[in-house]
Amino acid sequence: MIIKLLVLLVLCFCNVSTADDNKKTYIVHMSKHQKPTTTFGEDVDHAHWFDASLKSVSKSAEMIYTYQNVIHGFSTKLTQEEAESLENLPGILAVLPELKYELHTTRTPEFLGLDQNTNLFPQSSGDSDVIIGILDTGVWPESKSFDDTGMGPIPSAWNGACETGTNFTTQSCNKKLIGARFFAKGYEATLGPIDESKESRSPRDDDGHGTHTSTTTGGSVVAGANLLGYAAGSARGMAPKARVAVYKVCWLGGCFSSDILAAMEKAITDNVNVLSLSLGGGTADYYRDSVAIGAFAAMEKGILVSCSAGNAGPTSYSLSNVSPWITTVGAGTLDRDFPASVSLGNGKNYSGVSLYRGPILPNQMLPFVYAGNASNSTSGALCMPGTLVPSLVKGKIVLCDRGVNARVQKGSVVKEAGGAGMVLTNTAANGEELVADAHLLPATTVGQKAGDEIRKYVISDANPTATIVFEGTKLGITPSPVVASFSSRGPNSITPEILKPDMLAPGVNILAGWTGAVGPTGLPDDSRRVGYNIISGTSMSCPHVSGLAALLKAAHPEWSPAVIKSALMTTAYTSYKDGKMIQDLATGNPSTPFDHGAGHVDPVSAVNPGLVYDISADDYFDFLCALNYTASQIQLVTKRNTTCDASKKYFVGNLNYPSFAVVVPSDSTVVKHTRTVTNVGPASSTYKVSTFSDNKSVQMSVVPETLTFSQVNEKKSYTVTFTMGRMAVNSNAFGRIEWSDGKHVVGSPVAVSW
C-alpha cells in the first residue's frame, strides 16, 4: 500500500459495495442506564440486551463487535430501514453509520534536546512501566528498534495479549513490544475478507506506517541506523525505555470506525498509559466522531490520547481530531536536509532534495525535456502512468509537475519510459515545501519558484540540458523548525473557542523503523528492503508527542492527561533564538497560533513547567453543556445519564484550556475568560503576568496580575478581559499571555476572531 503522506484523506460515509448493497455497517449507541431488569430484579446481561434489541428489527443480523468502555453498544450490518427501526427502540441513543478514516501520512532526539538532558527524566524502572498503545497498520516485530535487551519484566498492570495470525506468533512479542492485536471485523463486514496474498491477517505490518510510528514513540536505541546511507546515526524513540503495544486497525482499504472503537476498547482494558493515533479525516460533531468518543473514555481512565492534525494545510479550517480532550499535533521541520541540486545547461543551479541512492548520472549534461511536451495526454506534465512517450524521453532527464499521483510513482513512470532521471517541481499547491523521497531513479524535488524558472528554460531553449548532483545529509539547516506547508491549520471548525492545533512536533523527513514487506517508496516495483525509512506527515509528528507524553508520565505518574498536555503546551516555544517568530513554510511569513498552536514542543522545559492547567471529566461535561448539546448527545460522548444544570450558566471559553481562542460576538466587544492554574513547581513562588497583542484593536487585562503560592498543588484562578475594537468579519488578531516567576515561563497563545 502506498502511504499518502501529504494528502488529508477525507472522512467519509462508507457506501462501499458489499455482498448486500442494501446493508451497511452501523454503530449502535445504547443507554446503559436504561438496561432492563429480569423479573427477579437482576440486570440483564448487556450482550443479551444488545442481541435482543438487534433481533427485534432483523432476525439475520449479527453483532460485529460489542463495546462497554468507549461506548455502550455494538456494531452491526443493517438496511437503512432496519437502522431507523432500531433507533426508535427504547434505550437506543443513536444508530450512526460506519465512518472511514485514513492514515495521515535519527536526528529528532538531538533536535529536541533529549540527548543532553536525559538526567531530567527518571532513570528508575518507572519509565519502563509506561505503556504506549499505537493504533495503526500493525508492526514489523523484527525491527531492531524492538530489541528488549536490558529491559525488566513486563509491567504487572499489563492486561494485553500478543495475538497470533498470518506470519505472526506469540514469539513476535517481547519485553519491549509487549502486545499486538488486530481488528478486521468491521473492515471485512464492508469490504469482504482480507486478501492474505496482499496483507497479513494479523498484527504484522505490511505497509510500514505502523512500524514507523511505533518506533518513533518508543523504539529502543539502535546504532548505525540510516536509509540508504542518509541520516546515519543512532536511532531512538522519544521514550526508548517505554513499552509498546500495537493495535492494527488500518488495512489496504482504510481504517473503519467500528475497528478503531474496538481497538480503543481493548487498549483501555489492557491498561495502556498513552494512545497514539496517526489517522483521521474530516470533522464531525463530537457525538458523531468515533475517535473523539473513544478518546473521552480513555481520558476518563487517565490515558492521554495524541492524534495527528492532518495533512490538508495550508488551507484554513483543515484540522481533524479537534476535541479538547485530544492532543492535536501539527508538523514542523528538523534542522537536517538532503540536498540534491539541479544544474542547467545555461549555467544556473537550483537546490532541491532527494534520498536517491544508486547509480548516479554520467559526469556530463544530459538532454532535458518537459513531460508536458513528451506525453500522449493532456495531463502529461504530471507524469501519470502510461502518459510518457518512450521515444521522447529515452536517455533524458524529465521535468514532471507535482500533483495527483504519488511523487515516487512519477519517477517510476519516467524510469519505465526509459528516462535517465527526473526533476520534480512543486506547483502553487505546495509552494516551497521540499519533502525528500527515496526515488527509484536519479531524481530531485525543487520548490515552485525554482520549478517555474526551470520550466521556462526547458521549454524555451533549443537544446536544453541538465544534470543532478546529490550532496548527502546536511545538518544545521536554518531556520528550523518551520511549519510544514501540509500541516493542517485552524481555526477549529467544530468549536472555534478551542484553539487547535495544540502544538508542533517534528514531522518532515523523519527516520524511523520500517517493514520488511515493501520498499521505502511502497511501490510494487520497488524491490529494495530497508530497516529504516524517512517519511513525512503529521502521522510522524503525532508519535513524537505520544512518546514525550510517556516520558512525562514516567517522571510524574500522578499527572492527568490534561496536565501532561498543559506542560507540553505552556513550555512550547514560538520564536527562534534571534527572537523572530517560527516561520510558516507555506507563505515564508511568521506563523500564527492557527498554524503552530502553542508552539513547538520543548520536552526539557515540559518536565518542569511551574504551573499547569488541569481539566477533569466534569469540566468537559460542562463544556458539552456550553455547546448546547442535548442530553442524548452528551450521553453519546460521556455515557453519563446526567442533564445540564438549568440554573448554571455555561460558557465554552471557560474550559480550563492552556490556550485562548476568543470569538468576538456580534453584540459585544468585551469577552471574559477565567482560568485556574495549579502550582507544580516550588512550594513558595510568585508569578507575574505579561500580555502581548499584535493588534491595537485587542486589549487584554488580567486580574489578578500576581499569583502567590505557598504550597505544591495549590490552585489559583485569574480572569482575562478581552476588549476588542470593531474589525471586518473574518479578521484575526494574535497575542500571548505569560506567567513568570523568574525561572519558569508559563505561556498561552491567544487568537481573536471576528
Side-chain angles (χ1 to χ4, degrees), residues 405-468:
N405 60 329
R407 301 183 302 274
V408 288
Q409 187 184 51
K410 295 175 189 292
S412 179
V413 169
V414 172
K415 183 178 181 181
E416 185 178 357
M422 177 183 71
V423 176
L424 179 61
T425 174
N426 283 354
T427 59
N430 309 106
E432 300 309 305
E433 179 174 77
L434 298 180
V435 179
D437 294 299
H439 293 285
L440 291 170
L441 83 170
T444 187
T445 302
V446 298
Q448 180 194 3
K449 294 177 182 177
D452 289 346
E453 292 298 316
I454 295 170
R455 192 183 299 104
K456 288 178 184 177
Y457 164 74
V458 73
I459 291 175
S460 62
D461 194 280
N463 185 30
T465 58
T467 192
I468 303 171

Side-chain angles (χ1 to χ4, degrees), residues 26-30 45-52 54 62-76 183 185-186 258-266 269:
Y26 291 87
I27 296 174
V28 182
H29 297 253
M30 303 186 72
D45 178 79
H46 77 277
H48 287 93
W49 180 36
F50 296 169
D51 188 59
L54 177 58
E62 299 289 339
M63 288 185 287
I64 300 171
Y65 292 109
T66 62
Y67 312 97
Q68 291 192 72
N69 290 309
V70 289
I71 68 169
H72 196 72
F74 60 93
S75 50
T76 186
F183 301 83
K185 292 179 182 178
S258 58
D259 293 327
I260 293 171
L261 280 173
M264 297 180 86
E265 175 97 4
K266 279 294 185 183
T269 58

Side-chain angles (χ1 to χ4, degrees), residues 367 369 374 388-398 414-415 417-421:
V369 63
L388 295 180
V389 178
S391 62
L392 299 178
V393 303
K394 186 175 181 180
K396 299 178 181 179
I397 295 175
V398 181
V414 172
K415 183 178 181 181

